[in-house]
Each structure stands twice: as structure tokens, then as C-alpha cells.
């Protein structure tokens, strides 16, 4: 190994150590984490729509074979346009995928864990909620509606 090679190798090793230290610093010092939408909320057994105030809601979606329980068994809910909704999702049985069409909401419903995302429904209309993870014979029919009026 000649001098140039040694210098190059040393430089590469130093660079790796610098990168590694920066990752550790970001994780510990700056508390930067891998993005996750999984929460530490206790899984729930029933769908529920809770009104917290004027155009502020909390929605617990319980996915199950083969429908979405939005509110005590209802597969359809109505909210006023401009509502901000904190949406929590879990599954009662197998893994389902919850996508609210026309929004960025696309979260897996996994038994034993609760997923979360906030959605603001600006435009009035019917937002179809579909399951996009194959979950058995009723998968294709698994859907619900969020009506924004
Ligand atoms: Cu639930 Cu597919």
C-alpha cells in the first residue's frame, strides 16, 4: 500500500466515523426519529366520532372483516366542511389498509396497534374510504363514506 492509498483509506474511515457520529447526534441530541404514524394509544374495540369543538373532531376507525366502523357500527359519518379531524385507526381482526380518497390519509390498520394522522376536510363532498390490503373474500366490498357538507 502506498502513501496515497493509506491517506485515502484513513480519510474514508474518518468520514464514516463522522457520518456515524452525526446519525447518533441526530437521534440522541436532536431527537430526530424515523417517521412513524404508529402511536402508543391503546387499541380500541369500537368506532367512535367525538366532537371536540367547532369543526374539531376525533375519529376512531375500527377496521374489521369487512367494513369500517366509524361510529358505533356506522359505516358512514357526516361532518361540516372545514373540519379538522384527528383520525386514529386500528383493526379488530386482520391487517387492513385504510385510504380516504381525495386526501393523503393512507394508513395500515394493524391489530394491536393504533395509527394516526390528522386530516382537514376543506371541500364538501363524499370521501370514499377503501381498504387497500387484501383481507379476505369481502375485501373488495370493504368501504365507507365520510360525507363533508
Ligand atoms: Cu380490509 Cu381489505
Amino acid at each position: 500500500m502506498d502513501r496515497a492509498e493509506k491517506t485515502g483509506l484513513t480519510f474514508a474511515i474518518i468520514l464514516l466515523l463522522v457520518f456515524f457520529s452525526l446519525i447518533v447526534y441526530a437521534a440522541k441530541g436532536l431527537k430526530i426519529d424515523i417517521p412513524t404514524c404508529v402511536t402508543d394509544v391503546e387499541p380500541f374495540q369500537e368506532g367512535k366520532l367525538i366532537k371536540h369543538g367547532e369543526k374539531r373532531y376525533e375519529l376512531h376507525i375500527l377496521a374489521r372483516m369487512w367494513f369500517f366502523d366509524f361510529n358505533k357500527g356506522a359505516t358512514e359519518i357526516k361532518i361540516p366542511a372545514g373540519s379538522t379531524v384527528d383520525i386514529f385507526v386500528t383493526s379488530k381482526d386482520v391487517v387492513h389498509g385504510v385510504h380516504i380518497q381525495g386526501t393523503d390519509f393512507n394508513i395500515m390498520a394493524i391489530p394491536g396497534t393504533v395509527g394516526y394522522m390528522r386530516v382537514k376536510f376543506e371541500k364538501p363532498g363524499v370521501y370514499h374510504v377503501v381498504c387497500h390490503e387484501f383481507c379476505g373474500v369481502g375485501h373488495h366490498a370493504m368501504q365507507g363514506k365520510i360525507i363533508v357538507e
Side-chain angles (χ1 to χ4, degrees), residues 67-68 70 75-77 99 126-131 141-146:
F67 66 97
F68 296 110
F70 290 140
T75 58
E76 208 176 290
I77 49 161
H99 177 218
V126 178
Y127 292 75
H128 292 276
V129 183
V130 294
C131 178
M142 186 166 169
Q143 48 189 284
K145 277 179 198 166
I146 296 173

Side-chain angles (χ1 to χ4, degrees), residues 17-149:
L17 288 174
V18 167
F19 288 157
F20 183 73
S21 324
L22 284 175
I23 290 170
V24 171
Y25 172 66
K28 303 287 174 194
L30 303 176
K31 303 258 185 264
I32 294 171
D33 215 341
I34 293 165
T36 177
C37 45
V38 171
T39 66
D40 53 8
V41 172
E42 277 290 303
F44 39 87
Q45 291 297 311
E46 187 186 52
K48 209 185 282 176
L49 178 66
I50 306 154
K51 187 172 182 175
H52 282 305
E54 194 60 31
K55 300 190 175 180
R56 285 291 288 110
Y57 292 87
E58 186 177 321
L59 176 62
H60 295 180
I61 301 176
L62 180 68
R64 51 186 301 187
M65 295 169 176
W66 283 280
F67 66 97
F68 296 110
D69 175 359
F70 290 140
N71 193 22
K72 299 174 184 123
T75 58
E76 208 176 290
I77 49 161
K78 284 180 189 172
I79 50 167
S83 293
T84 299
V85 189
D86 286 313
I87 306 175
F88 295 87
V89 169
T90 192
S91 168
K92 196 184 174 79
D93 35 52
V94 298
V95 174
H96 299 273
V98 189
H99 177 218
I100 306 175
Q101 290 179 348
T103 73
D104 292 336
F105 191 95
N106 188 349
I107 286 183
M108 303 299 287
I110 301 162
T113 68
V114 174
Y116 165 80
M117 197 179 150
R118 174 177 285 181
V119 178
K120 189 166 186 194
F121 293 90
E122 299 277 16
K123 286 195 202 128
V126 178
Y127 292 75
H128 292 276
V129 183
V130 294
C131 178
H132 60 72
E133 183 67 34
F134 184 74
C135 55
V137 295
H139 163 70
H140 64 283
M142 186 166 169
Q143 48 189 284
K145 277 179 198 166
I146 296 173
I147 300 165
V148 178
E149 46 186 23

